[in-house]
Amino acid sequence: MVTRHTPDMRRRRADAERSIAAIVQAAATAFSERPDVNLTDVARAAGVGRVTLYAHFPTREKLLEAAVEHAVAEAVTALDTARIDDGPADEALGRLVRLAWPILDRHRGLHTAAAALHPSVLRDRHSAVLERIRRLIKRGQAERSIRTDLSADWLVTVCYSLMHGAAEAVSEGRLDRADAADALENTVSGALAPPGNRAQPSRKAR
Amino acid sequence: MVTRHTPDMRRRRADAERSIAAIVQAAATAFSERPDVNLTDVARAAGVGRVTLYAHFPTREKLLEAAVEHAVAEAVTALDTARIDDGPADEALGRLVRLAWPILDRHRGLHTAAAALHPSVLRDRHSAVLERIRRLIKRGQAERSIRTDLSADWLVTVCYSLMHGAAEAVSEGRLDRADAADALENTVSGALAPPGNRAQPSRKAR
């Protein structure tokens, strides 16, 4: 059976898509500013009613997932705009970390709020950016600029764990925000370099 | 005013301490076997009533915190028994990671359950083991066998993030359990070695 889309149905669907986009955008900003923000305030910031918000996102968790995916999409856009894949893979990975960090940093509040999600769900919402990291690591392993004694899967986890560890450390005052990008790039570089062939850090962190 | 401890009071206190120890021990085992275990089953395994359990641990979170601290204390005992502080600090840190991993691995279920705790609370429950890691890193920095371009605080976070990242990766099937100890030791070694002076990995991970 062919479903017929009347002009009314199309308009309602376009309205729904606009509402969803506004809610997710507002949620990413609101959670980042205040991890414990209530959903009524998110609805207000998005210019929709609470009923509309709950119709699209029946739980706080569902809205958090969408907000994380939105922030990750922002990072992916930045990486793709910067043509992150060009040049030697180990250097490209350093640039990736340096480009992604300010976006993660800006969403540290969202990161704190998203600790309520199951770790595997949270990681799943990062798949678009993890896919870019995996691609660079695989290429670096083929070029031998990235260590081959450890699996690409594990090295992706290393990058993910370090980036989120840094966000948490900055939030809790254990890492100076001004040092974070250098610390991350130099740590990732050391962790992923082939043993016995370790690159000099690109910048002094302190 | 001096409080007088009657024999009755002393006996009740000793009983309470035995109950608490039994509950925490049972909880560490129960959460590790089944992260979603209910507290009635924990009470039964500890040989106490539900009322007694709730009297000492009014929430699931409080019991999780105590269970994590119990598992961490087990790791600290293993490290202190092995005189982890002897020898060059970078090698000692490798041994520490290798000694702590099987204890973390055995408590992976507890680690999954403990994701419900606030990250800063969870980290706080790890302070006994993080203190040993920090001491080794400080000594390694003084000996120049551990990098000095990054702060000891950040390098402690690197170890913590990588160990818990590995536990999560094994739980989710992204890292082979048999490879985990080698992967961890070699990754920590690379991340913490002074730039341009990177140690060979102690064992091939694959």
Side-chain angles (χ1 to χ4, degrees):
Chain A
M1 193 186 98
V2 177
T3 308
R4 289 184 180 277
H5 296 284
T6 65
D8 255 22
M9 285 167 70
R10 276 197 294 272
R11 206 196 53 229
R12 277 200 300 274
R13 175 175 299 182
D15 283 352
E17 282 170 4
R18 267 194 301 275
S19 290
I20 291 171
I23 293 166
V24 171
Q25 166 80 58
T29 305
F31 284 121
S32 298
E33 288 170 357
R34 205 147 54 83
D36 62 350
V37 67
N38 68 59
L39 300 198
T40 306
D41 288 343
V42 174
R44 191 175 304 128
V48 303
R50 281 188 56 201
V51 171
T52 302
L53 185 145
Y54 282 105
H56 296 301
F57 301 99
T59 64
R60 187 178 184 85
E61 281 69 29
K62 288 291 169 202
L63 184 57
L64 275 168
E65 286 184 41
V68 169
E69 204 161 57
H70 179 82
V72 167
E74 194 184 320
V76 166
T77 301
L79 301 179
D80 291 350
T81 305
R83 300 170 59 92
I84 201 68
D85 277 325
D86 293 356
D90 57 337
E91 292 174 19
L93 192 64
R95 290 200 308 276
L96 182 154
V97 167
R98 199 165 275 283
L99 273 165
W101 169 255
I103 296 164
L104 176 54
D105 181 47
R106 191 147 38 78
H107 291 97
R108 272 190 293 113
L110 171 59
H111 178 260
T112 302
L117 299 177
H118 190 284
S120 66
V121 170
L122 184 58
R123 190 180 152 112
D124 199 52
R125 295 302 105 193
H126 283 78
S127 54
V129 74
L130 295 180
E131 203 31 66
R132 261 95 182 156
I133 294 176
R134 178 185 314 277
R135 204 160 67 197
L136 275 180
I137 288 175
K138 288 271 195 193
R139 183 157 69 81
Q141 289 184 321
E143 291 169 359
R144 305 281 158 175
S145 63
I146 288 178
R147 67 195 302 169
T148 56
D149 62 330
L150 298 171
S151 72
D153 267 354
W154 166 244
L155 297 179
V156 171
T157 292
V158 168
C159 295
Y160 181 80
S161 301
L162 292 175
M163 292 200 71
H164 289 268
E168 210 174 293
V170 170
S171 291
E172 291 169 13
R174 290 181 279 101
L175 175 64
D176 196 324
R177 193 159 163 265
D179 294 338
D182 287 332
L184 256 180
E185 186 180 354
N186 290 330
T187 309
V188 166
S189 152
L192 269 60
N197 174 31
R198 191 158 184 239
Q200 293 295 325
S202 60
R203 306 194 194 186
K204 282 294 276 185
R206 48 177 48 212
Chain B
M1 194 185 97
V2 177
T3 309
R4 289 182 180 277
H5 296 283
T6 64
D8 255 21
M9 283 167 72
R10 277 199 293 273
R11 206 196 53 230
R12 276 201 300 274
R13 176 176 298 184
D15 283 352
E17 281 170 5
R18 267 195 300 276
S19 290
I20 290 172
I23 293 166
V24 171
Q25 167 80 59
T29 305
F31 283 123
S32 298
E33 288 171 356
R34 206 148 52 82
D36 61 350
V37 67
N38 68 59
L39 299 197
T40 306
D41 288 342
V42 174
R44 192 175 302 129
V48 303
R50 281 188 57 199
V51 171
T52 302
L53 185 144
Y54 281 105
H56 295 301
F57 301 99
T59 64
R60 187 180 183 84
E61 281 68 29
K62 289 290 169 203
L63 185 55
L64 274 168
E65 285 184 41
V68 169
E69 203 160 56
H70 179 82
V72 167
E74 195 185 317
V76 166
T77 302
L79 300 179
D80 290 350
T81 306
R83 301 169 59 90
I84 201 67
D85 277 326
D86 293 356
D90 57 337
E91 292 172 20
L93 192 63
R95 290 201 308 279
L96 182 154
V97 167
R98 198 166 274 284
L99 274 164
W101 169 254
I103 296 163
L104 176 54
D105 181 47
R106 190 147 40 76
H107 292 96
R108 270 189 295 114
L110 172 58
H111 178 260
T112 302
L117 299 176
H118 190 283
S120 65
V121 171
L122 184 59
R123 189 179 153 113
D124 199 51
R125 295 303 106 193
H126 282 79
S127 55
V129 73
L130 295 180
E131 203 31 66
R132 264 95 182 156
I133 294 176
R134 178 186 314 276
R135 204 160 66 198
L136 276 180
I137 288 174
K138 288 269 196 195
R139 183 158 68 81
Q141 289 184 322
E143 293 168 356
R144 305 282 159 175
S145 63
I146 288 179
R147 67 194 303 169
T148 56
D149 61 331
L150 298 172
S151 72
D153 267 354
W154 165 244
L155 296 179
V156 172
T157 291
V158 167
C159 294
Y160 180 81
S161 301
L162 291 175
M163 293 200 72
H164 289 268
E168 210 174 291
V170 170
S171 291
E172 291 168 14
R174 288 181 280 103
L175 175 63
D176 196 325
R177 193 159 162 265
D179 294 339
D182 288 332
L184 256 180
E185 186 181 354
N186 290 330
T187 309
V188 166
S189 152
L192 270 60
N197 175 30
R198 190 157 186 238
Q200 292 295 324
S202 61
R203 305 192 194 185
K204 282 293 277 184
R206 48 174 47 209

